[in-house]
Amino acid sequence: MEFVIITGMSGAGKSRAIAAMEDIGYYCVDNLPPKMLPSFTALCRQAEGKLDRVAVVMDARSREVFGDIYEGVRGFLEGPGRFRTLFLDCDDGVLIQRYKETRRRHPLMDEQTTSVEQAVAQERQILSRLRDSADYLIDTSYLSVRQLREKVVDIFLRDKGQGMLISCMSFGFKYGIPKEADLVFDVRCLPNPFYLPELKQRTGLDRPVREYVMQWEQSQKLADKLLDLVDYLLPLYQQEGKTQLTIAMGCTGGHHRSVVFAQLMAEHLQERQLRCTVTHRDIAKG
C-alpha cells in the first residue's frame, strides 16, 4: 500500500492537492488528526487489496493534537511500508493576501493570536521540521490551480520505477526566485528578445524566439555547460537519496530566455529517459 501524507501551510492549496490525488485513484481523507494516524493506517491495511493507494491531509485545523505531528509522522514513516510526505509551502505575504481576499479565518487564530500575520508565523514555526523532512515540496506562491494539479499528478501518477522526478521551471526574477528550486541558473546575461518589436509579445515557446536566443555563441556555450553540469550532478543527488529536484531558469520577466533554456533542459533530460516535467511559472504574466 502506498500512503501519502499531505501537509503544509494553511491556504497553500492542500484541498486542491487532495482533490488531484482523488482524481488519480487515491483514497483520500481530509483533516485527519495526527493521533489517529496509526489506527487509520491499521484499518487501511485490513482492507489491503481494495485500498492500495491512500492519501491524508494533516494540518493546523487539528491544533489541539497538532503539536506532536512531527514526532508522530517521523516514527510512522520510519516503519515498514511505502510512506511519503508532500509539503505545500507558500510565501507569507501571498498567504496573508489570500486570507484577506477570501475573508476566511486562519485556523490558528484565537484570543492570543489575533492577526493573520501572527497565525502564519506561528504555523510556520510548528511545521518547520516537517517541511525540512518532506519527500516532496511544492511552493504554490505563483502557481495557478491547474499548475498545482499538474505538479501533484506528475509526482504521484508516473511510473515510480523511473526514479527521481526532475522539474524544469522558467521564472522571472522580477516576480521572485522559486522557493522550491534546488538549482537556480540566471540567463539574463544573454541577448534579450524583449527589445525586438516582432518578438516582444511572443514567448520562448515560439520558434522565432528560440532561434533568436540560441543563435548567439554565448547562448550555445552556456547551454552546453549547464547541460553538462546537470548531467554530472544528477547521479550525486540520486546517491544521496533525493527523490525530487527542481531546476529553475530565470530571466527578467520569465517570458523569453528562461523559457527557452527550461525547454532545452527538459528536452535533454527526456532524451536520457529521465522522469522530467517542465513548468513556465510566469509566462502568462504581463
Side-chain angles (χ1 to χ4, degrees), residues 259-278:
V259 174
V260 170
F261 270 73
Q263 287 290 134
L264 284 172
M265 182 64 70
E267 291 165 8
H268 172 75
L269 296 174
Q270 289 164 356
E271 287 175 359
R272 295 185 53 199
Q273 304 299 310
L274 296 174
R275 189 178 170 212
C276 176
T277 65
V278 60

Side-chain angles (χ1 to χ4, degrees), residues 60-90:
R61 287 173 289 177
S62 301
R63 56 180 169 174
E64 68 277 2
V65 288
F66 193 70
D68 63 353
I69 185 173
Y70 174 75
E71 294 299 331
V73 169
R74 185 183 65 172
F76 184 76
L77 296 177
E78 290 174 351
R82 288 186 72 180
F83 304 116
R84 290 170 293 167
T85 55
L86 167 64
F87 192 98
L88 298 183
D89 203 354
C90 187

Side-chain angles (χ1 to χ4, degrees), residues 173 220 243:
F173 277 96
Q220 298 165 15
T243 57

Side-chain angles (χ1 to χ4, degrees), residues 4 27 45 66 88 90 109 114 132 138 142 149 180 198 229 240 251 267:
V4 178
Y27 179 80
R45 285 201 177 102
F66 193 70
L88 298 183
C90 187
M109 291 181 65
T114 58
D132 293 339
I138 299 178
Y142 300 99
R149 185 186 186 284
E180 71 266 40
E198 65 273 21
L229 175 61
E240 291 299 313
C251 63
E267 291 165 8

